[in-house]
């Protein structure tokens, strides 16, 4: 089975812009979670989608949003980018229950 | 709020030695995960521990879970250089597949 894929892998944006990141889960997986990884804050949960519904959300401002499509692919959007949004954004998929989450390679975002 | 603490945060070991990484968490949970991350790479799943007393082993790594003590350990036996990586524990943070991660333990195995 193909693993979790994320696009793009690298991205450079400037403050104030917005960005959309994409995640394709492992075939058959219906849950997609998003995490932000920074040297200062570590790995932090952003949100999780299952069957196109957001089931849980972390403590991030409303500038961070996401959605999931009927084929389980997910996108996250960050509007009005700030310097502090520079991070590795990881998505993870699982079948749907509390099983192991499998992580994609990540999108490294640099905000200048 | 669930908090997960790992220690040590940095571990420098000689090849062939044994050591243990500890993961404490603050509220009840029956699911704990260990992941490995190589520099510049994503997270690789190592173990999932689902019940009190669970023990899993893979190669030189063995993980255990004590839900009463809210403690998991990752034991490294006879370390080799290839084990150098950052190891994270993560605890099930509730509904919706939320994982709460520890800060990670950077492991360096010196030959």
């Amino acid at each position: 089975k193909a693993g979790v894929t994320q696009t793009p892998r690298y991205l450079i944006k400037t403050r104030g812009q917005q960005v959309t990141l994409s995640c394709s889960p492992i075939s058959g997986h219906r849950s997609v979670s998003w995490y932000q990884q920074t040297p200062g804050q570590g790995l932090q949960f952003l949100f999780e989608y299952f069957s196109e519904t957001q089931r849980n959300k972390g403590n991030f401002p409303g500038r961070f949003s996401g959605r999931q499509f009927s084929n389980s692919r997910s996108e996250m959007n960050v509007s009005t980018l700030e310097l502090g949004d520079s991070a590795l954004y990881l998505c993870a998929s699982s079948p749907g229950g509390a099983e192991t989450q499998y992580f994609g390679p990540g999108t490294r975002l640099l905000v200048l | 709020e669930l908090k997960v603490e790992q220690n040590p945060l940095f571990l420098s070991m000689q090849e062939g030695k044994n050591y243990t990484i500890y993961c404490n968490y603050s509220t009840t949970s029956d699911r704990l995960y260990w992941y490995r991350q190589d520099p510049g790479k994503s997270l690789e799943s190592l173990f999932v521990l689902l019940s009190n007393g669970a023990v899993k082993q893979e190669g030189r790594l063995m993980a255990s879970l004590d839900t009463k003590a809210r403690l998991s350990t990752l034991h490294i036996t006879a370390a080799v250089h290839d084990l150098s990586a950052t190891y994270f524990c993560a605890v099930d943070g509730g509904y919706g597949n939320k994982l709460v991660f520890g800060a990670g333990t950077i492991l360096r195995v010196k030959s």
Side-chain angles (χ1 to χ4, degrees):
Chain A
K1 265 190 186 176
V4 179
T5 58
Q6 291 186 246
T7 57
R9 295 292 310 280
Y10 303 93
L11 208 47
I12 300 175
K13 292 284 188 180
T14 56
R15 278 182 300 175
Q17 288 187 309
Q18 76 163 15
V19 68
T20 300
L21 312 182
S22 181
C23 173
S24 292
I26 292 170
S27 177
H29 285 192
R30 297 167 64 191
S31 168
V32 174
S33 302
W34 289 89
Y35 294 84
Q36 181 196 65
Q37 186 176 26
T38 60
Q41 300 298 316
L43 279 152
Q44 293 185 287
F45 174 79
L46 281 155
F47 29 66
E48 187 255 7
Y49 287 87
F50 177 79
S51 292
E52 302 178 66
T53 300
Q54 187 182 87
R55 294 198 296 188
N56 205 340
K57 188 176 188 304
N59 295 326
F60 279 82
R63 299 185 298 107
F64 292 82
S65 63
R67 59 178 176 168
Q68 187 180 35
F69 302 94
S70 59
N71 62 357
S72 294
R73 189 177 70 85
S74 178
E75 289 181 345
M76 69 163 279
N77 184 77
V78 188
S79 63
T80 320
L81 284 165
E82 300 177 359
L83 295 179
D85 297 333
S86 294
L88 179 66
Y89 290 89
L90 294 162
C91 82
S93 78
S94 71
E99 303 97 339
T100 298
Q101 294 183 41
Y102 296 91
F103 283 79
T107 295
R108 192 166 294 279
L109 172 65
L110 177 61
V111 182
L112 301 175
Chain B
E1 183 189 346
L2 172 60
K3 298 229 185 273
V4 180
E5 290 188 359
Q6 282 182 244
N7 68 82
L9 297 183
F10 182 77
L11 180 53
S12 181
M13 301 175 61
Q14 292 287 341
E15 275 193 332
K17 299 292 188 183
N18 304 333
Y19 211 84
T20 300
I21 299 170
Y22 297 88
C23 175
N24 289 90
Y25 53 99
S26 60
T27 62
T28 302
S29 177
D30 287 332
R31 297 177 186 273
L32 189 137
Y33 305 82
W34 284 96
Y35 285 90
R36 168 182 171 147
Q37 186 176 41
D38 291 296
K41 304 287 187 181
S42 187
L43 296 170
E44 174 191 353
S45 174
L46 294 174
F47 302 109
V48 53
L49 302 168
L50 299 177
S51 61
N52 188 42
V55 177
K56 295 271 185 82
Q57 181 161 9
E58 180 73 34
R60 300 174 188 275
L61 300 178
M62 183 174 72
S64 66
L65 177 62
D66 181 345
T67 58
K68 291 185 174 61
R70 298 177 190 159
L71 170 69
S72 180
T73 60
L74 180 66
H75 186 73
I76 302 151
T77 302
V80 293
H81 184 261
D82 285 353
L83 289 179
S84 296
T86 300
Y87 292 85
F88 292 93
C89 65
V91 178
D92 182 6
Y95 184 66
N97 277 342
K98 174 182 178 179
L99 291 180
V100 179
F101 282 85
T105 297
I106 300 172
L107 173 66
R108 292 291 174 262
V109 181
K110 299 183 289 186
S111 51

